[in-house]
């Protein structure tokens, strides 16, 4: 009987990384960046309106 060789017997999915995990990770990065852009736009609009009111 041969010994157990982890390099041969383990694959990329053995670490818990599956296609659905990768897809969900990419989608979550897109959603987070979109939310950051929306929040930034709202804050910029708030500061712009405050600047107009000060004049």
């Amino acid at each position: 009987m041969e010994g157990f060789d982890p390099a041969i017997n383990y694959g990329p999915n053995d670490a818990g990384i599956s296609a659905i995990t990768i897809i969900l990770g990419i989608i979550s990065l897109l959603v987070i960046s979109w939310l950051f852009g929306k929040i930034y736009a709202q804050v910029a609009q708030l500061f712009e309106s405050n600047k107009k009111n000060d004049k």
Side-chain angles (χ1 to χ4, degrees), residues 10 21 35 37 44 47 51 54-55:
Y10 285 153
T21 306
L35 281 174
F47 283 133
K51 189 188 296 185
D54 288 343
K55 289 183 179 180

Side-chain angles (χ1 to χ4, degrees), residues 17-51:
I17 303 297
S18 62
I20 190 70
T21 306
I22 294 169
I23 291 169
L24 289 176
I26 291 170
I27 290 172
S28 65
L29 284 174
L30 291 173
V31 168
I32 289 169
S33 64
W34 177 79
L35 281 174
F36 180 76
K38 290 297 249 181
I39 291 169
Y40 180 82
Q42 291 295 324
V43 170
Q45 184 179 11
L46 178 69
F47 283 133
E48 190 66 31
S49 66
N50 283 343
K51 189 188 296 185

